[in-house]
Amino acid sequence: MILKKLFNLNEYGYKNIVDDQLKISGLAFDSRLVRPGYLFFAIPGINTDGHLYIEDAIKRGAAVIVYSDPEISFPPHREQTWIRVVDVRKTMAQISAQFYDHPSREMRLFGVTGTNGKTSTCFFLRNILEDDGHACGLMTTPKNIIGPDVYEAINTTEESLQIQACLKSMLNKGIRQAVLEVSSHGLALGRVDGLFFDAAVITNLVAEHLEFHKSFEHYFSSKKKLIEMVEQNTKKSYPRFVIVNGDDENCRKIITESHLPTFTFGLRPENDVFAEDIEYFVDRTEMKIKTPKGNESVQLSLPGQHAVYNALAATAMAIFSGIEGEKVAQGLEHTHRVPGRWEVVNAGQDFMVIVDFAHNWHGLDSTLSFIKKMVRGKVITVFGCGGERDRNKRPMMGETVARWSDICIITSDNPRHEDPRQTAEDAMQGVSKCKKEVPVESCIILDRREAISQAFSLAQAGDVVFLAGKGPERYQVYHDRIICHNDYDVALELLKERNSS
Ligand SMILES: CC(=O)N[C@H]1[C@@H](OP(=O)(O)OP(=O)(O)OC[C@H]2O[C@@H](n3ccc(=O)[nH]c3=O)[C@H](O)[C@@H]2O)O[C@H](CO)[C@@H](O)[C@@H]1O[C@H](C)C(=O)N[C@@H](C)C(=O)N[C@H](CCC(=O)O)C(=O)O
Ligand SMILES: Nc1ncnc2c1ncn2[C@@H]1O[C@H](COP(=O)(O)OP(=O)(O)OP(=O)(O)O)[C@@H](O)[C@H]1O
Ligand SMILES: N[C@H](CCC[C@H](N)C(=O)O)C(=O)O
Ligand SMILES: [Mg+2]
């Protein structure tokens, strides 16, 4: 695409336009991905500043530099085009949408946000939409799926440029609908700016990521931005509506504020979509789903009340999009697993091992309270708290784990630049607060593999070992290194070793 079509060049501060007919061969916000003829966005980040990599981008062939630092008033390289903007990330969202020709205008776009259950709801919803007969793209924490191609992503919600590129390749493959998981960072940092969302759901809302948002109000208003984006969507090719969890006090506040048809889901019969006659099992759930468009009996392969909520959230999105109840039930039943969420590890041992992505008190409370109710044996939980994440979260996680577990083993979960011992001790404070006398077996074992091994050596027939927090992650991030670690693989290996010894 030529430069003049991407920018209204009269609008900007400093600019050195070499040729407004210049053909831009691609866009990048990371200098390491720049190729000849690219436009490079220099983003001031949290760890470093993209302005420091302009030289690198130029060496790799960048033809245009979009930057914001006013200190660079006379860019040294006159042979490149330089454009100074107020906010590079915001500009990147606009320009990327333009570069890829606004793929979301040609698609039906479903946005899923909330504190917990986003990824699971996305998987349910995508399966329903596909079972209704139309291919559906997916962008979530563990995976981005474009037809037969599956990619791992670094972030739940990627940068605007990556999202637009991904939607464009969906469209090129004839995929005209997509489910996008939208994180609070994605909303606050404008990663989703420029997208046309047709419908949105908020799964639930409790305080999270306060290391970034600083206050619940900021977190809440970031989440609400997704609803505002549906309201502001001028495309109007599909009915626009909003779905919220009617059992969640914070979500309910949105109902009165929304200018669009807003429907609720939940367990209470006052909700537009709700569940009845729920029968919980340790490996599945049976229930009747009631909707204004009819009722369906459903058997979910995923256990627990939180799975019911996620299935109801997806059902509400699908039903109000016009999908028949029968197809909804089929899609829910076809969702056999969500990667790293409630994955059972079985090597023939006489206790149960579950790998799960619960990484805040709310997720731990939902999963562990269910386990405690369902099993007669001891509950042994191995968990850690992420480094460089809200420190106040840690004792709350510790307290919740201790409330429902007989033995708590605190370990590391991506220490990042923090001291893992200190992080673990923060969590231990919560354990001690809950249990006046911390059981002797509860302890800190910083090496995660060793912690899992210790849990297995304490487990007896009928117990449950719950490995929380890393789900499908394949790494452990330390200040100076990233090591390979996957809870499922490690657990399976250790269980097999036990079998052969
Ligand atoms: C705190 C945060 O949000 N960080 C994100 C942010 O990084 P940053 O601002 O720190 O970027 P930076 O490292 O300072 O670099 C600044 C710029 O220099 C560029 N650079 C850097 C090095 C180089 O050689 N050349 C170069 O051009 C970088 O590409 C970047 O554009 O921008 C990066 C690029 O998009 C993200 O990958 C990164 O996410 C990190 C991995 C992260 O941990 N993010 C978490 C907090 C996050 O965003 N989580 C949410 C929610 C998760 C959930 O609960 O589901 C998510 O959506 O994933
Ligand atoms: N509706 C829910 N309510 C409470 N906890 C839930 C709910 N759904 C899932 N969980 C818990 O949260 C964990 C993460 O679930 P999921 O990945 O679906 O959420 P997410 O919102 O996508 O998380 P993230 O913010 O990390 O992307 C699950 O493994 C489970 O422990
Ligand atoms: N994506 C979320 C969850 C990560 C969970 C846990 N494994 C951690 O690293 O804190 C985050 O970055 O906060
Ligand atoms: Mg997720």
Side-chain angles (χ1 to χ4, degrees):
M1 184 171 280
I2 63 164
L3 181 65
K4 210 173 137 185
K5 283 209 166 150
L6 277 181
F7 284 88
N8 176 1
L9 293 165
N10 297 326
E11 259 181 38
Y12 297 94
Y14 177 85
K15 51 196 183 280
N16 172 43
I17 310 298
V18 175
D19 172 9
D20 68 4
Q21 295 297 322
L22 184 77
K23 193 167 180 304
I24 309 291
S25 57
L27 309 177
F29 60 88
D30 189 312
S31 60
R32 290 161 290 195
L33 301 177
V34 168
R35 303 277 173 274
Y38 266 43
L39 182 155
F40 174 64
F41 295 100
I43 297 179
I46 292 169
N47 295 315
T48 179
D49 186 343
H51 289 82
L52 299 173
Y53 302 95
I54 292 177
E55 286 295 332
D56 185 40
I58 289 174
K59 267 195 220 124
R60 292 171 196 264
V64 181
I65 309 296
V66 175
Y67 71 107
S68 59
D69 186 352
E71 297 290 310
I72 312 178
S73 50
F74 296 101
H77 299 270
R78 311 300 299 184
E79 62 275 26
Q80 274 75 34
T81 288
W82 293 67
I83 302 174
R84 194 173 89 213
V85 302
V86 176
D87 183 330
V88 180
R89 258 207 172 90
K90 273 201 162 39
T91 307
M92 179 163 82
Q94 260 175 25
I95 301 303
S96 308
Q98 186 74 8
F99 185 84
Y100 291 103
D101 202 13
H102 294 276
S104 68
R105 266 194 203 142
E106 314 296 317
M107 299 174 78
R108 190 170 198 177
L109 201 60
F110 298 89
V112 177
T113 196
T115 304
N116 284 310
K118 299 182 290 297
T119 299
S120 312
T121 301
C122 286
F123 272 74
F124 277 132
L125 180 57
R126 172 175 186 260
N127 285 349
I128 297 172
L129 292 164
E130 289 228 321
D131 276 358
D132 189 44
H134 304 281
C136 179
L138 181 71
M139 295 188 80
T140 60
T141 314
K143 285 181 187 191
N144 293 339
I145 305 182
I146 310 174
D149 304 322
V150 181
Y151 305 93
E152 274 189 28
I154 293 174
N155 289 107
T156 290
T157 303
E158 299 202 86
E159 294 293 346
S160 53
L161 165 48
Q162 297 159 309
I163 300 176
Q164 296 288 352
C166 193
L167 294 180
K168 185 68 179 184
S169 28
M170 288 179 194
L171 207 50
N172 288 343
K173 289 193 159 73
I175 301 168
R176 304 187 75 86
Q177 56 181 353
V179 175
L180 251 69
E181 177 170 347
V182 188
S183 66
S184 60
H185 292 80
L187 288 156
L189 293 171
R191 296 180 192 158
V192 290
D193 284 4
L195 295 175
F196 293 86
F197 284 102
D198 298 289
V201 57
I202 305 194
T203 56
N204 45 61
L205 284 174
V206 298
E208 175 67 314
H209 292 306
L210 293 194
E211 74 287 347
F212 173 78
H213 292 285
K214 311 294 181 213
S215 70
F216 180 70
E217 289 66 36
H218 188 265
Y219 176 69
F220 185 65
S221 63
S222 303
K223 292 285 190 192
K224 267 200 320 198
K225 206 175 138 193
L226 183 62
I227 309 287
E228 288 153 18
M229 290 186 77
V230 181
E231 287 171 358
Q232 287 154 14
N233 172 0
T234 48
K235 179 177 72 179
K236 297 186 182 145
S237 340
Y238 301 100
R240 290 174 304 147
F241 61 88
V242 168
I243 306 287
V244 297
N245 181 337
D247 295 350
D248 179 302
E249 203 183 313
N250 289 318
C251 284
R252 273 203 307 274
K253 288 184 193 146
I254 289 167
I255 305 173
T256 46
E257 291 174 23
S258 166
H259 300 114
L260 289 173
T262 301
F263 306 102
T264 63
F265 70 90
L267 297 188
R268 296 181 312 148
E270 298 87 276
N271 291 301
D272 298 301
V273 171
F274 63 98
E276 238 183 34
D277 302 335
I278 309 175
E279 281 194 71
Y280 292 109
F281 301 89
V282 81
D283 60 348
R284 67 185 194 284
T285 314
E286 293 175 8
M287 62 179 168
K288 208 175 272 160
I289 299 186
K290 301 226 155 184
T291 82
K293 305 195 178 162
N295 309 328
E296 293 296 327
S297 291
V298 175
Q299 179 171 313
L300 296 180
S301 301
L302 299 168
Q305 198 182 72
H306 60 289
V308 172
Y309 271 104
N310 300 335
L312 292 174
T315 299
M317 285 287 265
I319 287 284
F320 292 106
S321 300
I323 296 177
E324 295 298 322
E326 202 183 308
K327 296 285 176 198
V328 172
Q330 203 176 307
L332 294 177
E333 292 192 350
H334 282 166
T335 310
H336 297 297
R337 73 180 271 267
V338 181
R341 279 77 178 160
W342 201 279
E343 301 258 32
V344 175
V345 192
N346 194 347
Q349 75 283 4
D350 57 5
F351 52 89
M352 191 176 178
V353 178
I354 302 164
V355 170
D356 188 73
F357 198 44
H359 54 73
N360 52 38
W361 73 264
H362 185 241
L364 289 164
D365 192 57
S366 323
T367 41
L368 283 168
S369 60
F370 174 69
I371 294 173
K372 191 72 193 162
K373 224 177 290 160
M374 299 301 286
V375 302
R376 264 180 278 135
K378 289 195 299 301
V379 178
I380 305 171
T381 301
V382 178
F383 79 107
C385 302
E388 292 177 23
R389 298 292 180 262
D390 185 10
R391 204 172 161 185
N392 295 321
K393 237 174 98 158
R394 298 172 189 167
M396 289 160 79
M397 289 170 70
E399 200 178 339
T400 308
V401 171
R403 183 172 311 125
W404 301 115
S405 311
D406 301 282
I407 300 173
C408 316
I409 301 181
I410 303 178
T411 186
S412 307
D413 183 346
N414 296 330
R416 305 192 173 91
H417 287 91
E418 285 200 60
D419 169 14
R421 166 76 48 189
Q422 180 58 55
T423 306
E425 275 165 10
D426 289 347
M428 188 53 107
Q429 273 181 21
V431 173
S432 314
K433 191 174 162 199
C434 176
K435 299 227 185 239
K436 281 208 177 67
E437 274 181 46
V438 177
V440 282
E441 298 98 329
S442 291
C443 56
I444 295 176
I445 302 178
L446 293 180
D447 182 276
R448 196 163 174 109
R449 188 188 178 93
E450 219 181 283
I452 296 173
S453 171
Q454 172 66 3
F456 291 168
S457 64
L458 293 171
Q460 290 168 336
D463 291 351
V464 172
V465 176
F466 189 64
L467 307 177
K470 290 191 83 63
E473 289 178 3
R474 310 203 66 81
Y475 48 80
Q476 185 78 292
V477 183
Y478 292 92
H479 74 284
D480 56 349
R481 65 199 188 282
I482 297 179
I483 63 163
C484 290
H485 175 98
N486 175 260
D487 274 356
Y488 188 97
D489 292 349
V490 167
L492 192 60
E493 240 174 77
L494 290 171
L495 291 171
K496 284 185 179 162
E497 270 171 30
R498 280 164 58 96
N499 287 347
S500 58
S501 65

